[in-house]
Amino acid sequence: MSEELQFFLEDMDEQLSIMESSLLDISDVNLEEIDKEKINNIFRAMHTMKGNAGLFGYKVIVDFAHLAESLLEEIRNNRINITKELIELFLLINDHSKHLIQSTIKDEKLDFKQQEQHNLLLTQLNKYLNIEEKEEQLSVQIIEKDTSTDVIKYSISIKLEKDFFKSGMDMLSIVKYLDAIGNVLDTKLIIDEIPSFYELEPLDAYIKLNLIYETSEDKSEIVDAFEFVQEDIKLIINVIEEVVIKKQVDEKTEVNIVKEATKVIEKQKPIQKKQFINNLSLKVDSTKVDKLINQMSELVIANAKILEHIKKSKNIELHEAVEDMSDILAEVRNGVMNIRMVQVSDSFSKLRRIVSEATKKSDKEISFEIIGGETELDKTVIEKISDPLVHMLRNSVDHGIESPQDRINKGKEAKGKIILKAYHDSGTIVIEISDDGAGINKDKILKKAIERKLIKNSEKLRDKEIYDLIFVPGFSTAQEISNISGRGVGMDVVKRNIEELRGIISIDSKLDIGTTIKIRLPLTLAIIDGFLIEASNSKYIIPIDSIQECLEFTSIAQEEMKNNGYITLRSNILPILDVAKHFKEEELEKKRKNIVVVKFGTQRVGLKVDELFGEFQTVIKPLGRLFRNVSDISGGTLLGNGEIALILDIQKLIEHKISNKDISYGN
Amino acid sequence: MKIKFDELCIQEAESFYKTINDELSIIENNPLILDFSNIEKIDLSAIQIIIALKRYCKLSDIPLSLINLESSQVKESIKTFNLYTELGLKP
């Protein structure tokens, strides 16, 4: 696939995503309160689709987008009122556009179902546009008058400068573009200046191109078409003649449609450019960023080695230079890692559609709210979490929220509520899905678990342990299997996916009040700021964001701990986890021991360690199959001296400590 | 000679020029047949090389044939720039 086509696809993906999001926004509010800018977003998406497709000569897309855009233009000009049916229609148009683009660029026909949908949508669009024409004769007359257009014929001379080809621009695209906003009537390549074959420099340009061209667009629009090559060409545009052509509104012939369609491309072009300048964004192939991050990781490891060796040197200048380099490296590292960070809002917007459709199928009334869409997360994490979120939201719709009548009977509002929330906490990102539905019936889960011999009848489980049964493969308490969820397939996969991302998932629920599913994920998967410690003879990394403070483990505290397993820190009890003991390491007699206070969510634990080495830029490396079941370790890293340090999984360690399971580790 | 590129654009221009140069040194006055069946896309940098080659072959009495200019993008370039006469092709 050519780079241009790839760009077209990416651009359309973005535009259609904005369109979908805007449609879902306006579907959630009263029709009178609709934000005009949302309609403009939808218009712009169709407008861009038409323009871009025109550049590639994809007439079927141009025609389709043109009709959709015409209807949107009517809505923008208040000639047609937006209705729920129209919002629905544009959502279908949005979906269909994706199929249409894919099949067109692959040069394939739409399959039977898609073709049927295509025809249906065209009929619907025409219906709305025709109704408008019949109902408002006056407007039509005005339109007719307005569409009398001066078509001007130009001669355009384009002399390619010597370095034109090195600019990377293709003159064919520019001529095609001109043809899209007008008519290229004649083309003549002037080749007089091409030298003899053996004198020719293959990278130099010797060609001139003369065009006879007609358009109703302003001359400045023609000049704009050459904007990106203006440094590399000599451009002369002269008017040959002016012709007045009156266009009839009801003459929606093929040519007119394409003309009308392409007319707007140029108007759109400055908008796109303006957006590009405002956002100062740049589209980069994600594999390039991945490569950069990998190289960055190697650089961090190499720097750690230098730091290790420099310890032996007494050269102060060298020490200073290496420290400077480390500081700069940390900044560069943060910058590189930030490239991968994207707002979760784009991904979340797509989920609104899922909820909206699942709601329709379920005959329930549900409002869906997104909070914290501006929260940033690593793009890879966002991609991998998308499917689990879809599954959980469908569960919320299907099993969480009750039917309107059931809700009224329970004294609730008929309309249920699902909230998807994202926020940062202790160096992690938390994604919560909460609903005000029926909640999870613990007794049902226990009954099912006993039936399936997952637990013993006499077993006493805490709430968390009961809810965790939901993540057992094949476990489902749904009475009926719906086409949305309820097959018991999924929550185990959801948990596995989350854990693969070094995240955790937990459920909290109250019967008839609602359920909250909380996912906690690391901000990034590649490099973290760590804190290097030693317990017994092993080195460990603690993610720095989870550290609250470091303390000396005084003899008084040691006495207190001996008796209780915790110490009192500023009048609060702090459970202590002995890292060496936890990992079955031999305890060393050292003069000074330390406590690192770590926090995860609302819980705190003190980690008893021997040495504190300080901050360490940590490149996370997976540990491989051998350590797959070691749940308190989230990875490993290479230290400057070639030694390996294990990265502590703080959330798991705290969970173990709080549930008093730490002593039994490894048994 | 089958041209062993997928595209003939600025990235391939130097190699394309060199390939033809090498071929010219071998064929002497035998016919030169350029087979474009692999070529998906062509731009003006390659077109000017072909035009220069065509002129050279004419002057040197080397019969030159351009064959299999069949890809839709190649055809589009020829049509858009109206190159039928320059390249000796039928519209």
Side-chain angles (χ1 to χ4, degrees):
Chain A
M1 189 182 290
S2 71
E3 206 173 313
E4 295 89 349
L5 209 51
Q6 186 61 41
F7 184 78
F8 167 61
L9 278 179
E10 283 170 12
D11 198 20
M12 284 327 304
D13 188 44
E14 192 180 326
Q15 288 295 330
L16 290 173
S17 174
I18 294 169
M19 177 178 175
E20 188 175 44
S21 172
S22 300
L23 282 163
L24 292 166
D25 280 342
I26 60 175
S27 66
D28 285 344
V29 298
N30 290 330
L31 295 173
E32 303 77 44
E33 294 166 10
I34 285 174
D35 180 359
K36 288 258 178 199
E37 194 46 42
K38 302 283 177 194
I39 304 285
N40 287 340
N41 286 344
I42 302 162
F43 177 85
R44 215 170 285 137
M46 286 292 102
H47 189 68
T48 307
M49 182 161 104
K50 187 171 67 175
N52 288 352
L55 283 176
F56 288 93
Y58 296 144
K59 193 176 161 301
V60 66
I61 304 178
V62 171
D63 291 354
F64 181 73
H66 169 71
L67 277 182
E69 189 198 34
S70 301
L71 183 53
L72 285 160
E73 183 70 5
E74 297 296 295
I75 295 167
R76 285 208 313 176
N77 294 330
N78 299 320
R79 287 197 284 265
I80 290 181
N81 290 327
I82 189 87
T83 59
K84 292 284 178 195
E85 289 73 29
L86 271 172
I87 294 171
E88 202 56 46
L89 175 67
F90 280 111
L91 279 169
L92 293 173
I93 287 170
N94 185 283
D95 289 344
H96 182 65
S97 298
K98 293 168 193 163
H99 294 303
L100 194 59
I101 290 168
Q102 283 300 331
S103 64
T104 310
I105 62 162
K106 286 179 190 162
D107 206 15
E108 289 171 357
K109 282 185 176 175
L110 290 169
D111 65 30
F112 179 74
K113 207 174 155 192
Q114 287 165 355
Q115 187 59 53
E116 217 173 36
Q117 178 75 338
H118 187 76
N119 296 342
L120 185 76
L121 292 171
L122 288 180
T123 311
Q124 290 275 314
L125 286 166
N126 275 319
K127 196 182 107 192
Y128 276 105
L129 288 164
N130 287 338
I131 285 169
E132 177 57 17
E133 282 175 12
K134 279 175 199 163
E135 280 180 359
E136 298 201 22
Q137 293 293 334
L138 187 64
S139 304
V140 173
Q141 282 165 16
I142 294 165
I143 293 166
E144 275 185 17
K145 201 174 180 179
D146 284 347
T147 51
S148 298
T149 317
D150 291 340
V151 175
I152 302 174
K153 200 181 271 186
Y154 297 94
S155 77
I156 304 174
S157 166
I158 311 144
K159 166 80 181 83
L160 308 190
E161 294 286 7
K162 189 180 159 199
D163 288 336
F164 173 84
F165 297 130
K166 292 170 197 164
S167 73
M169 289 300 290
D170 182 5
M171 190 48 75
L172 181 67
S173 310
I174 298 170
V175 176
K176 272 166 71 180
Y177 179 71
L178 285 173
D179 203 37
I181 60 163
N183 266 333
V184 176
L185 302 170
D186 190 35
T187 319
K188 180 78 185 155
L189 212 59
I190 310 296
I191 53 174
D192 302 346
E193 290 184 24
I194 299 180
S196 67
F197 185 76
Y198 286 107
E199 285 169 7
L200 183 133
E201 289 292 334
L203 298 183
D204 292 351
Y206 304 97
I207 286 173
K208 196 171 134 185
L209 188 65
N210 286 345
L211 306 177
I212 302 296
Y213 179 64
E214 69 173 21
T215 182
S216 55
E217 298 296 338
D218 195 75
K219 188 178 167 184
S220 64
E221 304 287 305
I222 304 173
V223 176
D224 272 358
F226 295 93
E227 187 184 351
F228 297 112
V229 291
Q230 58 185 340
E231 304 281 314
D232 304 301
I233 57 165
K234 271 188 193 137
L235 182 68
I236 302 166
I237 304 172
N238 288 319
V239 176
I240 301 174
E241 62 178 282
E242 285 188 28
V243 188
V244 178
I245 298 172
K246 185 165 180 145
K247 288 181 191 162
Q248 297 297 321
V249 166
D250 55 352
E251 278 180 10
K252 295 265 179 183
T253 60
E254 199 174 89
V255 177
N256 270 342
I257 289 175
V258 177
K259 282 275 180 202
E260 285 286 319
T262 49
K263 227 170 92 174
V264 206
I265 298 169
E266 275 294 89
K267 288 179 194 162
Q268 161 223 325
K269 205 177 159 193
I271 297 171
Q272 283 182 324
K273 280 177 208 157
K274 203 181 285 174
Q275 280 175 345
F276 181 79
I277 291 162
N278 286 344
N279 295 340
L280 290 172
S281 62
L282 181 67
K283 284 193 175 177
V284 181
D285 186 344
S286 64
T287 53
K288 287 183 186 170
V289 179
D290 290 342
K291 198 174 169 190
L292 193 62
I293 288 174
N294 283 339
Q295 287 166 339
M296 191 69 228
S297 303
E298 295 307 319
L299 202 57
V300 168
I301 292 170
N303 184 57
K305 282 182 191 164
I306 294 171
L307 287 170
E308 186 65 28
H309 288 296
I310 206 77
K311 281 179 191 166
K312 295 164 199 163
S313 166
K314 288 178 181 170
N315 185 331
I316 295 168
E317 283 179 358
L318 189 60
H319 272 276
E320 281 176 359
V322 170
E323 270 174 33
D324 284 350
M325 191 183 75
S326 296
D327 290 346
I328 294 165
L329 187 64
E331 279 176 35
V332 175
R333 187 206 77 183
N334 287 338
V336 170
M337 297 309 290
N338 259 334
I339 299 174
R340 287 202 66 88
M341 302 300 272
V342 292
Q343 291 194 349
V344 293
S345 55
D346 286 350
S347 179
F348 279 12
S349 293
K350 287 176 186 159
L351 299 171
R352 295 166 69 188
R353 186 75 187 279
I354 306 277
V355 174
S356 165
E357 280 175 6
T359 305
K360 271 179 222 155
K361 284 179 191 162
S362 68
D363 290 327
K364 293 175 184 174
E365 291 174 31
I366 301 172
S367 73
F368 180 53
E369 193 181 344
I370 292 173
I371 300 172
E374 70 289 347
T375 313
E376 288 188 331
L377 185 59
D378 189 296
K379 194 171 187 299
T380 313
V381 180
I382 290 185
E383 280 163 8
K384 287 188 177 164
I385 202 173
S386 178
D387 285 347
L389 287 179
V390 168
H391 187 86
M392 287 183 284
L393 284 167
R394 282 183 172 154
N395 267 344
S396 281
V397 173
D398 205 29
H399 309 308
I401 305 291
E402 312 92 328
S403 69
Q405 191 54 52
D406 282 353
R407 291 181 64 86
I408 291 166
N409 292 345
K410 286 178 184 177
K412 293 179 178 179
E413 280 183 32
K415 197 174 196 176
K417 191 173 196 176
I418 298 176
I419 298 173
L420 179 62
K421 190 174 172 185
Y423 56 93
H424 288 288
D425 183 45
S426 309
T428 60
I429 185 173
V430 180
I431 297 172
E432 273 182 20
I433 297 173
S434 54
D435 66 58
D436 66 346
I440 297 171
N441 189 328
K442 283 185 280 183
D443 294 337
K444 258 190 190 174
I445 294 176
L446 284 171
K447 196 178 160 206
K448 183 106 182 174
I450 293 164
E451 271 171 25
R452 301 193 59 190
K453 298 194 168 85
L454 294 172
I455 54 166
K456 286 175 190 163
N457 204 355
S458 55
E459 219 168 323
K460 293 273 177 221
L461 298 180
R462 292 180 300 133
D463 283 1
K464 188 188 171 303
E465 289 166 327
I466 297 171
Y467 297 137
D468 278 350
L469 289 167
I470 292 170
F471 298 117
V472 173
F475 191 91
S476 174
T477 60
Q479 299 282 320
E480 290 170 32
I481 291 171
S482 74
N483 58 357
I484 303 173
S485 56
R487 290 175 194 277
V489 197
M491 285 309 274
D492 57 320
V493 181
V494 166
K495 191 177 186 202
R496 202 168 59 231
N497 285 358
I498 304 289
E499 286 180 342
E500 274 171 14
L501 294 168
R502 295 190 290 114
I504 55 160
I505 182 166
S506 61
I507 299 177
D508 188 21
S509 185
K510 285 195 174 68
L511 204 60
D512 289 334
I513 303 289
T515 303
T516 298
I517 300 177
K518 195 182 271 191
I519 298 166
R520 200 176 271 274
L521 292 161
L523 274 175
T524 179
L525 301 175
I527 310 175
I528 56 166
D529 278 317
F531 190 82
L532 184 62
I533 56 124
E534 189 176 57
S536 185
N537 287 319
S538 297
K539 295 207 169 61
Y540 299 94
I541 296 285
I542 303 172
I544 214 155
D545 289 321
S546 58
I547 296 179
Q548 278 201 316
E549 60 185 305
C550 296
L551 316 161
E552 187 182 346
F553 195 30
T554 60
S555 52
I556 302 166
Q558 284 182 37
E559 274 309 306
E560 191 184 3
M561 192 202 150
K562 258 183 203 168
N563 300 326
N564 308 310
Y566 61 80
I567 62 168
T568 310
L569 180 65
R570 292 188 285 275
S571 309
N572 288 313
I573 286 172
L574 181 73
I576 300 294
L577 187 140
D578 186 330
V579 174
K581 200 172 170 187
H582 183 77
F583 289 108
K584 301 281 176 200
E585 297 248 28
E586 185 191 344
E587 192 151 358
L588 301 178
E589 281 304 318
K590 292 214 173 180
K591 278 184 189 170
R592 183 189 156 123
K593 299 261 177 188
N594 297 285
I595 297 290
V596 182
V597 183
V598 291
K599 178 179 178 260
F600 190 76
T602 54
Q603 292 167 324
R604 290 192 318 161
V605 159
L607 300 180
K608 184 184 155 198
V609 302
D610 295 329
E611 294 282 341
L612 305 175
F613 295 108
E615 286 186 39
F616 184 81
Q617 289 188 55
T618 308
V619 177
I620 303 169
K621 299 277 184 193
L623 287 174
R625 284 195 302 170
L626 188 63
F627 294 89
R628 189 189 290 161
N629 296 321
V630 183
S631 64
D632 301 332
I633 301 292
S634 60
T637 194
L638 208 56
L639 302 177
N641 57 5
E643 218 179 314
I644 288 169
L646 298 172
I647 302 165
L648 296 180
D649 189 334
I650 298 302
Q651 60 206 48
K652 292 276 167 57
L653 279 175
I654 292 180
E655 269 178 22
H656 276 136
K657 182 64 200 173
I658 301 298
S659 60
N660 286 321
K661 283 185 180 168
D662 64 302
I663 308 299
S664 61
Y665 186 88
N667 290 334
Chain B
M1 180 184 63
K2 193 163 189 168
I3 300 164
K4 289 174 183 168
F5 300 102
D6 296 334
E7 294 185 348
L8 284 180
C9 297
I10 185 66
Q11 290 87 345
E12 295 82 21
E14 278 186 307
S15 310
F16 176 52
Y17 179 76
K18 189 178 177 302
T19 308
I20 295 177
N21 222 329
D22 294 346
E23 189 69 11
L24 284 173
S25 63
I26 302 166
I27 60 160
E28 294 176 353
N29 279 352
N30 290 321
L32 174 59
I33 300 168
L34 294 186
D35 182 349
F36 290 84
S37 52
N38 284 342
I39 306 300
E40 284 293 320
K41 191 179 170 187
I42 193 163
D43 79 353
L44 284 177
S45 63
I47 286 168
Q48 64 179 18
I49 294 173
I50 298 169
I51 291 170
L53 173 70
K54 205 158 170 54
R55 281 184 191 159
Y56 171 78
C57 288
K58 196 176 176 185
L59 284 172
S60 315
D61 283 332
I62 300 170
L64 171 68
S65 298
L66 310 176
I67 62 165
N68 291 327
L69 289 150
E70 293 298 329
S71 105
S72 56
Q73 286 191 62
V74 171
K75 281 180 176 174
E76 190 183 23
S77 293
I78 293 168
K79 190 181 168 195
T80 306
F81 295 123
N82 199 8
L83 294 169
Y84 300 106
T85 315
E86 280 79 5
L87 301 184
L89 303 169
K90 286 179 187 169

